Amino acid sequence: MKNKLANLSALLLLSPIGLLAQNNKHMTLEEIIHLAANQSVEAKSADTKVFGRQLEVETAKSKQLPDAKLGGQYMAMTTPNVNLKLALGEEGSAPDIAANQLWLGQASVSLPIYTGGRIKGGIDIAKDVLKAEEYNAVASKEQLAIRAVNLYLSLYKAQQTNLLIAENIKQSEQRVSDFKAMLDNGLIARNDLLKAELQLSNYQVSLQEAQKNIKVLNYQLANFLKIDEDTQLDQINLADVRGVDLGLKASFDAAKSTRSDVKSMESQRLVVEDQLKVTKAAAMPTVSATAGYNAFGLQKVVTVTNAAMIGVGVSYDIGSLYKNKREVNVAKNRIKEIDEHIELLNDKVKVQVQQANENYMLAQKQDVVYHQALDQAVENYRITKDKYDNGIADTDDLLTADVQQLQSKINLAISKANTIEKYYDLLLANGSLNIK
């Protein structure tokens, strides 16, 4: 009997149990998922990264715009020796000039006409990086949603376990009271009363542990969702959880086409392909249209204004002819690496889909068994109680049947939450978890 009570205490200690505190906020599982995917620090960080990639796309597009520069200089100089080489007339002698000030002004505009695909490739890279980041953000938020689901359902298990222990404590207290009366009337031995009191003490210790754990869970959930940390959640009712499809089965084909982590990896491959195109484009010349205006003056010597120009500029990096091949090989090797990562990810997805299906089916089967076990435990306690009242069963039999009945109730409460938990794991593996 003592070993069975110890086993129950261990079960309660391992269960995520806690105290049902003041009920002042009701939250559904859908609300929990929404807050986790939008309110948590990790979710906001994911959104910030996406916004950063959007800015990078705009930066890449800006390279299509013309470059415009304005510049000017004014310099004071020591009086230089000026020797003009131009003929100055019949005298042929240069005047004595004190030219000690120089000013320069310049304006230029350059518009890229042909870059071999560098600019377009840079824009494509930025766009594909943005897509990959968006898929990464969704994948991260899905993981956050699952964390929230697990915390929420753990809190449900805690609340249910707490209620069941508290209810059993009332029955145990009544049993101890009855046994005291029976002991006073000489109907039972003192040892029987001590056994009942020991069972009550074990239940009370388990309840104290439960009260501590449920406070921890409630605080963790509130902190994770970034709501008031003093918020106490109402008693959770799993009847509020809608849309659970007991016949749902994940498939690799569906997961491969819809999972955000898979799409992110595919977008990363596009990035590497774009980088390969840009690398190859480095071997091509660049052509740009240029226009400019220059003015300068040297004190008492010369002043030049309205020196406008327009033309075409061509630039060609000769070194790219022998350097580019190595860089192209590096880019091709990166594509190969990405392909291997995609293959590994597909294998991982296959395993996750198969495991999620098995876990979901097991949870449903266990729920059926736990329903049967509770009926059996309730009936066993009823029969044992009748036998005890008729002097056929002893106190050990009665207390053991009571422990089994409580444990069956706890197992069933946990099983209901486990089924929903495995359902959401299945949605995650299948790429169909709704986080909006």
Side-chain angles (χ1 to χ4, degrees), residues 318-333:
I318 302 298
S320 64
L321 294 176
Y322 53 86
K323 294 179 180 178
N324 188 256
K325 184 177 179 179
R326 294 182 179 88
E327 295 177 358
V328 168
N329 289 335
V330 171
K332 288 181 178 178
N333 188 66

Side-chain angles (χ1 to χ4, degrees), residues 216-235:
V216 170
L217 279 170
N218 198 101
Y219 182 84
Q220 287 178 349
L221 186 58
N223 181 265
F224 178 61
L225 300 178
K226 293 306 170 186
I227 59 178
D228 187 353
E229 294 177 350
D230 294 328
T231 299
Q232 303 296 330
L233 298 185
D234 285 342
Q235 183 72 31

Side-chain angles (χ1 to χ4, degrees), residues 366-384 401 404-413 416:
Q366 287 179 335
D367 189 62
V368 173
V369 173
Y370 284 133
H371 272 92
Q372 296 173 350
L374 178 58
D375 293 339
Q376 294 164 352
V378 170
E379 180 64 13
N380 178 63
Y381 179 78
R382 186 192 65 81
I383 294 174
T384 303
Q404 291 173 343
Q405 181 177 238
L406 174 59
Q407 185 168 326
S408 296
K409 291 178 179 179
I410 294 174
N411 288 342
L412 181 58
K416 291 179 180 179

Side-chain angles (χ1 to χ4, degrees), residues 125 128-129 132 266-276:
I125 289 174
D128 289 333
V129 169
E266 292 172 349
S267 294
Q268 292 178 39
R269 191 186 192 283
L270 292 177
V271 171
V272 179
E273 289 178 352
D274 293 334
Q275 289 173 340
L276 175 60

Side-chain angles (χ1 to χ4, degrees), residues 104-393:
L104 301 170
Q106 184 180 40
S108 64
V109 178
S110 177
L111 176 66
I113 298 175
Y114 174 76
T115 61
R118 293 178 182 86
I119 294 178
K120 181 180 182 302
I123 295 174
D124 291 340
I125 289 174
K127 288 181 177 179
D128 289 333
V129 169
L130 172 60
K131 289 181 181 178
E133 196 63 63
E134 288 174 340
Y135 288 130
N136 278 335
V138 174
S140 298
K141 290 182 178 182
E142 288 173 343
Q143 293 294 334
L144 293 172
I146 290 299
R147 281 176 56 188
V149 168
N150 293 339
L151 278 173
Y152 185 79
L153 293 177
S154 294
L155 183 58
Y156 166 79
K157 297 173 187 177
Q159 292 173 344
Q160 289 296 313
T161 304
N162 179 78
L163 289 177
L164 292 171
I165 295 175
E167 180 181 343
N168 235 57
I169 284 179
K170 293 179 180 179
Q171 297 175 0
S172 296
E173 289 174 341
Q174 183 60 49
R175 182 181 298 116
V176 169
S177 178
D178 294 341
F179 275 27
K180 287 181 178 179
M182 295 170 68
L183 177 63
D184 292 340
N185 293 321
L187 299 178
I188 61 172
R190 177 171 175 75
N191 188 50
D192 290 335
L193 173 60
L194 292 175
K195 291 178 181 179
E197 291 176 336
L198 176 60
Q199 185 183 64
L200 175 59
S201 297
N202 287 334
Y203 285 157
Q204 290 171 337
V205 170
S206 297
L207 184 61
Q208 291 171 354
E209 184 70 20
Q211 292 170 350
K212 182 265 297 183
N213 288 339
I214 199 170
K215 289 180 180 179
V216 170
L217 279 170
N218 198 101
Y219 182 84
Q220 287 178 349
L221 186 58
N223 181 265
F224 178 61
L225 300 178
K226 293 306 170 186
I227 59 178
D228 187 353
E229 294 177 350
D230 294 328
T231 299
Q232 303 296 330
L233 298 185
D234 285 342
Q235 183 72 31
I236 298 172
N237 186 359
L238 292 187
D240 294 336
V241 180
R242 304 184 183 278
V244 177
D245 183 3
L246 296 178
L248 179 64
K249 188 174 182 180
S251 71
F252 172 68
D253 291 336
K256 186 178 179 181
S257 61
T258 58
R259 279 183 51 153
S260 299
D261 52 351
V262 176
K263 289 184 177 181
S264 175
M265 188 64 69
E266 292 172 349
S267 294
Q268 292 178 39
R269 191 186 192 283
L270 292 177
V271 171
V272 179
E273 289 178 352
D274 293 334
Q275 289 173 340
L276 175 60
K277 294 178 182 178
V278 172
T279 301
K280 291 180 177 179
M284 304 299 291
T286 60
V287 181
S288 59
T290 61
Y293 176 87
N294 291 279
F296 66 93
L298 180 60
Q299 183 188 27
K300 298 180 181 180
V301 176
V302 64
T303 300
V304 177
T305 59
N306 296 325
M309 68 189 84
I310 187 169
V312 176
V314 179
S315 176
Y316 189 54
D317 183 4
I318 302 298
S320 64
L321 294 176
Y322 53 86
K323 294 179 180 178
N324 188 256
K325 184 177 179 179
R326 294 182 179 88
E327 295 177 358
V328 168
N329 289 335
V330 171
K332 288 181 178 178
N333 188 66
R334 288 176 182 170
I335 293 178
K336 185 178 179 181
E337 291 177 359
I338 291 291
D339 288 337
E340 291 172 350
H341 284 307
I342 291 176
E343 185 177 358
L344 290 173
L345 179 58
N346 286 334
D347 289 341
K348 180 181 177 181
V349 170
K350 285 182 180 179
V351 173
Q352 290 176 344
V353 167
Q354 191 271 344
Q355 186 176 8
N357 283 327
E358 293 296 332
N359 288 340
Y360 188 42
M361 288 188 292
L362 176 62
Q364 294 181 62
K365 292 177 181 178
Q366 287 179 335
D367 189 62
V368 173
V369 173
Y370 284 133
H371 272 92
Q372 296 173 350
L374 178 58
D375 293 339
Q376 294 164 352
V378 170
E379 180 64 13
N380 178 63
Y381 179 78
R382 186 192 65 81
I383 294 174
T384 303
K385 183 67 167 59
D386 287 342
K387 288 183 177 181
Y388 180 82
D389 292 341
N390 291 302
I392 300 175

